[in-house]
Amino acid sequence: MNAKRTDFLATVIINLIVAAVVGILVFLLAYILISGLPHVSWTFLTGTTDAFSGAGGIGVQLFNSFYLLVLTMLISIPISLGAGIYLAEYAKDNWRTSLIRSAIEVLSSLPSVVVGLFGFLLFVVKFKIGFSVISGAIALTFFNLPLLTRNIEESLSAVSRSQREAGLSLGLSKWKTEIGIILPVALPGIVTGIVLSAGRVFGEAAALIYTAGQSAPVTNFADWNPMDAASPLNPFRPAETLAVHIWKVNTEGLATNAAQLSAAASAVLIIAVLLFNLGARLLGNFLYRRVTASK
């Protein structure tokens, strides 16, 4: 077999593999959306769920998902940013740095259910916080930290060394160079990673079953005092998220239309995750054009 025929055969095989992967993805998305979207309505998106049968809308679960996502990102972004800057700019190439990177790799490979059980034993049982939004947010922070840290480190490391040398040659300190020059250049990649990780957190279920709980108590959306028990902003109340709700309806739902409810909620979840991914790409491209002054 000559080189041209080998190259042609390899190209065909690669294209077939790519087409198969894309086809499976399109089939799954089409199946979920076609099955679920006909059952989605404004009442479904804003209504409340019956605690016993699981019937009704997903308004509370949808709010819980976004609220828990915001709390998780507020906790994990500053920690990941500091860790990423340290590993990319200040950490020496020694056994300590290798140990930190190995720990990050191990933490990122843990199954989410293991993270959830850890959060259950530590926050729910040991610290007696109970099933709550804050327990779920902290558990998801452990789940999210390795990915964000690695993304920020790689984004900073990808910046040209000449940028650092230019800042230092102007008399700036290393920290001023990092904040004023390196970080803005790396910002498109960092923001893209943050938005993608937010989409992953939004769709997480296993870790939240053991930490945030499987119930959605009635909340008063007219009460925005986070200290009140009925307030939606209370971080110490149980909070069933949309992903957990889908699992619960499929496994324990007693409603006669449980399959339709699950399909509709799955379609909403898929659309939200797709919007996160599309937003990450658009926002990353926009920031890249702003930083590089390109069209």
Side-chain angles (χ1 to χ4, degrees):
M1 187 178 291
N2 57 37
K4 287 185 178 180
R5 186 170 298 177
T6 302
D7 179 71
F8 175 77
L9 182 61
T11 303
V12 170
I13 293 174
I14 292 173
N15 288 334
L16 288 176
I17 293 173
V18 172
V21 173
V22 173
I24 292 172
L25 178 61
V26 171
F27 171 76
L28 290 175
L29 291 176
Y31 178 78
I32 294 172
L33 294 176
I34 292 173
S35 301
L37 283 180
H39 306 289
V40 176
S41 63
W42 180 251
T43 303
F44 177 74
L45 292 175
T46 59
T48 57
T49 303
D50 181 73
F52 178 72
S53 65
I58 57 171
V60 176
Q61 287 81 1
L62 202 56
F63 175 83
N64 289 341
S65 297
F66 281 107
Y67 184 40
L68 200 144
L69 171 64
V70 170
L71 287 182
T72 301
M73 302 311 286
L74 286 176
I75 299 171
S76 58
I77 289 176
I79 300 174
S80 300
L81 187 61
I85 291 175
Y86 170 76
L87 290 173
E89 303 297 331
Y90 293 95
K92 297 180 180 179
D93 189 11
N94 53 30
W95 67 271
R96 292 187 184 87
T97 305
S98 298
L99 182 62
I100 293 173
R101 288 199 170 97
S102 298
I104 292 174
E105 292 291 339
V106 171
L107 191 58
S108 65
S109 64
L110 286 178
S112 58
V113 67
V114 174
V115 177
L117 287 172
F118 169 77
F120 171 76
L121 294 173
L122 185 62
F123 305 117
V124 178
V125 177
K126 182 67 175 178
F127 293 160
K128 301 185 185 304
I129 300 176
F131 294 108
S132 61
V133 177
I134 193 66
S135 296
I138 297 174
L140 287 182
T141 296
F142 284 104
F143 180 72
N144 203 32
L145 275 178
L147 303 174
L148 272 182
T149 301
R150 177 54 62 89
N151 167 258
I152 292 172
E153 180 189 359
E154 291 179 351
S155 297
L156 293 173
S157 300
V159 178
S160 173
R161 184 174 179 82
S162 61
Q163 301 272 17
R164 296 171 173 81
E165 294 173 349
L168 295 174
S169 66
L170 293 173
L172 299 176
S173 65
K174 190 171 184 178
W175 176 249
K176 286 286 188 181
T177 301
E178 183 67 30
I179 298 299
I181 298 177
I182 307 303
L183 200 57
V185 175
L187 190 60
I190 293 174
V191 171
T192 300
I194 289 174
V195 178
L196 290 175
S197 67
R200 187 185 181 198
V201 167
F202 189 84
E204 179 56 39
L208 297 177
I209 292 174
Y210 300 102
T211 51
Q214 304 176 42
S215 62
V218 177
T219 53
N220 180 14
F221 283 93
D223 181 6
W224 296 100
N225 183 359
M227 296 296 104
D228 290 345
S231 172
L233 297 183
N234 185 353
F236 298 102
R237 64 178 177 84
E240 180 187 60
T241 61
L242 185 57
V244 174
H245 177 69
I246 295 170
W247 171 83
K248 189 176 179 181
V249 169
N250 274 309
T251 57
E252 304 175 6
L254 300 178
T256 56
N257 61 339
Q260 289 82 3
L261 293 173
S262 175
S266 300
V268 174
L269 182 62
I270 285 292
I271 291 173
V273 174
L274 289 175
L275 289 176
F276 276 118
N277 284 270
L278 179 62
R281 181 175 294 276
L282 295 176
L283 187 58
N285 291 337
F286 172 76
L287 291 175
Y288 178 79
R289 291 194 298 269
R290 289 293 300 271
V291 170
T292 60
S294 59
K295 296 183 179 179

